Amino acid sequence: QVQLVESGGGLVQAGGSLRLSCVASGARLSIDVMGWYRQAPGKQRELVATISSSGSTDYADSVKGRFTISRDNAKNTVNLQMNSLKPDDTAVYYCNVRQIFVWPGNYWGQGTQVTVSA
């Protein structure tokens, strides 16, 4: 159905930047919401940012002002520009795609590691 391929993770020093990208392939219907979640060791997976098909965005308070989510509907891609990175941002970042009223309607990427050193 829908396959997600993430890229852009890596190791950076505090204050640095990374840009994550996720490409969704195989979507026969339009994608309603695309987003990024992250999971740090010993913690639950949490929302980082989402963006709807109309461009409405939602950010976690911890990343607001530092991260920017964007999407290209023609290419079925979602990006996450991460600036002013902090060690607390260290986590595996997962791309997520949702299609409302379409089964299964929820897809996850395999994750990409982001490590921020002090």
Side-chain angles (χ1 to χ4, degrees):
Q1 297 181 42
V2 179
Q3 295 81 44
L4 307 179
V5 179
E6 301 141 318
S7 63
L11 172 65
V12 297
Q13 290 188 320
S17 299
L18 283 174
R19 182 178 175 86
L20 305 183
S21 295
C22 174
V23 180
S25 61
R28 307 280 182 170
L29 302 173
S30 62
I31 296 172
D32 294 298
V33 181
M34 306 184 78
W36 291 93
Y37 293 71
R38 68 186 182 187
Q39 187 167 22
K43 299 184 66 177
Q44 292 182 293
R45 187 174 299 187
E46 64 176 354
L47 179 146
V48 178
T50 61
I51 182 167
S52 71
S53 59
S54 65
S56 298
T57 58
D58 186 30
Y59 294 93
D61 289 339
S62 60
V63 308
K64 197 170 299 182
R66 299 186 298 119
F67 292 8
T68 302
I69 190 170
S70 61
R71 66 188 284 173
D72 186 331
N73 292 329
K75 299 180 179 179
N76 276 344
T77 61
V78 59
N79 303 303
L80 185 69
Q81 179 65 47
M82 305 186 295
N83 299 325
S84 302
L85 284 163
K86 305 174 181 179
D88 285 348
D89 295 319
T90 296
V92 177
Y93 285 69
Y94 297 91
C95 180
N96 175 252
V97 165
R98 279 176 278 161
Q99 294 177 294
I100 300 175
F101 304 128
V102 177
W103 186 90
N106 195 3
Y107 305 89
W108 293 93
Q110 65 180 8
T112 183
Q113 177 71 47
V114 172
T115 303
V116 184
S117 62

